[in-house]
């Protein structure tokens, strides 16, 4: 039997599965079924926050599985899309799901071309023929897998409203757009193609996102916590609570408040040194359109 090239895998055999499942509070069946996939997506998206704080604190963002486990499981921190997807993909591999990774372009209503720096997963369960989008690294759900069907249209995931549309790209390939309902009505949040991506591809995007002065994640803290009834965003010193009906509550924080809000709202406890470093800087309020 020809050995599998590990660069094509997500290193699931190296995952401490018990620790990961305890971290997200999963207690279901460890089988590659659709019911299990739904439970895993819901548990991960509502437990592990989205955050870029390692970049802001002057450290890199390694994507090797040991680093992901140390940060997101043992230290109970969050991560952005590449980190969340890397950890979740390792778990899917251990469960026996068939899946490929994909890259997307985060638009949030923008008209200018954005780089493909968002990580997603295309998953199939053992007991279901359909193909499912799992978007565990966006910081705003969906709470459950979304069927990749051309006629999917508008749907709800819990109380949150989405719309999925398929078009063709410049060479006739599939190009999907996921829309989300919010304070400005329907807004396209990202587009993605179904071309398979691998860990090495995400390493390239991760380098840009974590180091480029054109990346919003190198400019200020950006943290998200998604729950069934509310989504919290910390953008610089602007804290916004977003609700499924499109309403929001906005509060401008003092820099000294950041560690307390991170702990109490976003479930991120910084140690004393990191908290002190974070409050020494002068972070801007939310930067619109970035």
């Amino acid at each position: 039997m020809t050995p599998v090239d590990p660069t094509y895998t997500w290193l699931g055999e190296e995952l401490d599965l018990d620790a990961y499942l305890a971290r997200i509070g999963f207690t279901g069946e460890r089988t590659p079924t659709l019911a299990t996939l739904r439970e895993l997506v819901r548990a991960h998206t509502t437990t592990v926050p989205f955050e870029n704080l390692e970049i802001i604190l002057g450290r890199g963002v390694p994507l090797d599985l040991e680093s992901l486990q140390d940060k997101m499981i043992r230290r109970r921190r969050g991560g952005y899309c590449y980190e969340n997807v890397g950890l979740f993909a390792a778990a899917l591999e251990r469960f026996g799901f068939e899946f490929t990774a994909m890259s997307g372009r985060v638009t949030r209503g923008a008209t200018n071309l954005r780089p493909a720096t968002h990580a997603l997963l295309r998953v199939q369960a053992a007991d279901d023929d359909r193909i499912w989008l799992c978007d565990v690294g966006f910081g705003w759900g969906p709470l459950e897998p979304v069927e990749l069907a051309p006629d999917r249209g508008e749907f709800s995931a819990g109380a949150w409203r989405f719309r999925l549309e398929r078009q063709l790209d410049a060479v006739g390939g599939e190009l999907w757009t996921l829309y989300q309902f919010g304070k400005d009505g329907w807004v396209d949040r990202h587009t993605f193609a179904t071309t398979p991506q691998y860990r090495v591809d995400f390493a390239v995007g991760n380098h840009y996102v974590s180091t480029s002065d054109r990346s919003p994640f190198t400019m200020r803290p950006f943290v998200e916590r998604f729950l069934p009834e509310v989504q919290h965003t910390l953008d610089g010193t602007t804290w916004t609570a977003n609700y499924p009906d499109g309403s929001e509550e906005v509060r401008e924080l003092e820099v000294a408040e950041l560690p307390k809000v991170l702990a109490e709202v976003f479930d991120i406890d910084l140690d004393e040194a990191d908290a002190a470093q974070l409050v020494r800087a002068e972070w801007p309020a939310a930067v619109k359109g970035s």
Side-chain angles (χ1 to χ4, degrees), residues 50-52 55 61 78-84 137 206 209-210 217:
F50 181 107
E51 53 134 314
N52 70 331
I55 302 169
V61 182
Y80 56 29
C81 66
Y82 292 123
E83 297 169 281
N84 275 285
N206 181 57
V209 168
S210 63
F217 294 151

Side-chain angles (χ1 to χ4, degrees), residues 82 100-106 115-121 175-176 190-198 201-202 205:
Y82 292 123
T100 57
M102 305 179 294
S103 286
R105 302 179 190 275
V106 176
T117 57
H118 181 50
L120 313 99
L121 293 167
L175 183 66
W176 299 81
H190 57 61
T191 65
F192 61 92
T194 54
T195 306
Q197 300 287 286
Y198 303 96
D201 300 310
F202 287 170

Side-chain angles (χ1 to χ4, degrees), residues 71-254:
K71 178 188 178 189
M72 303 170 76
I73 298 176
R74 291 190 281 272
R75 293 193 284 132
R76 300 184 63 83
R77 288 279 302 281
Y80 56 29
C81 66
Y82 292 123
E83 297 169 281
N84 275 285
V85 167
L87 188 61
F88 193 75
L92 292 185
E93 198 169 77
R94 282 288 294 277
F95 272 71
F97 285 97
E98 295 291 332
F99 66 93
T100 57
M102 305 179 294
S103 286
R105 302 179 190 275
V106 176
T107 50
R108 293 184 183 267
T111 56
N112 60 306
L113 184 63
R114 300 288 184 88
T117 57
H118 181 50
L120 313 99
L121 293 167
R122 178 184 185 274
V123 186
Q124 186 169 5
D127 62 341
D128 191 280
D129 292 334
R130 292 170 292 181
I131 304 299
W132 300 89
L133 168 68
C134 295
D135 194 5
V136 300
F138 197 80
W140 204 325
L143 279 167
E144 58 191 47
V146 178
E147 184 185 359
L148 279 178
D151 57 351
R152 188 70 176 94
E154 184 177 340
F155 63 96
S156 296
W160 302 89
R161 296 168 60 191
F162 300 90
R163 194 170 80 237
L164 183 65
E165 295 182 358
R166 187 185 72 167
Q167 298 175 315
L168 299 180
D169 63 19
V171 294
E174 288 186 332
L175 183 66
W176 299 81
T177 303
L178 183 65
Y179 296 83
Q180 185 158 5
F181 183 81
K183 69 181 181 64
D184 298 318
W186 288 104
V187 175
D188 53 301
R189 77 178 205 177
H190 57 61
T191 65
F192 61 92
T194 54
T195 306
Q197 300 287 286
Y198 303 96
R199 288 184 294 115
V200 66
D201 300 310
F202 287 170
V204 176
N206 181 57
H207 178 73
Y208 170 84
V209 168
S210 63
T211 64
S212 173
D213 58 8
R214 298 181 63 184
S215 166
F217 294 151
T218 64
M219 300 176 185
R220 64 199 185 277
F222 191 83
V223 186
E224 296 181 293
R225 180 81 192 281
F226 180 63
L227 298 169
E229 69 283 354
V230 62
Q231 189 267 357
H232 294 284
T233 297
L234 180 66
D235 188 347
T237 55
T238 304
W239 169 20
T240 304
N242 302 284
Y243 298 95
D245 64 359
S247 62
E248 64 176 27
E249 299 173 0
V250 182
R251 177 183 167 190
E252 295 300 330
L253 302 173
E254 299 294 330

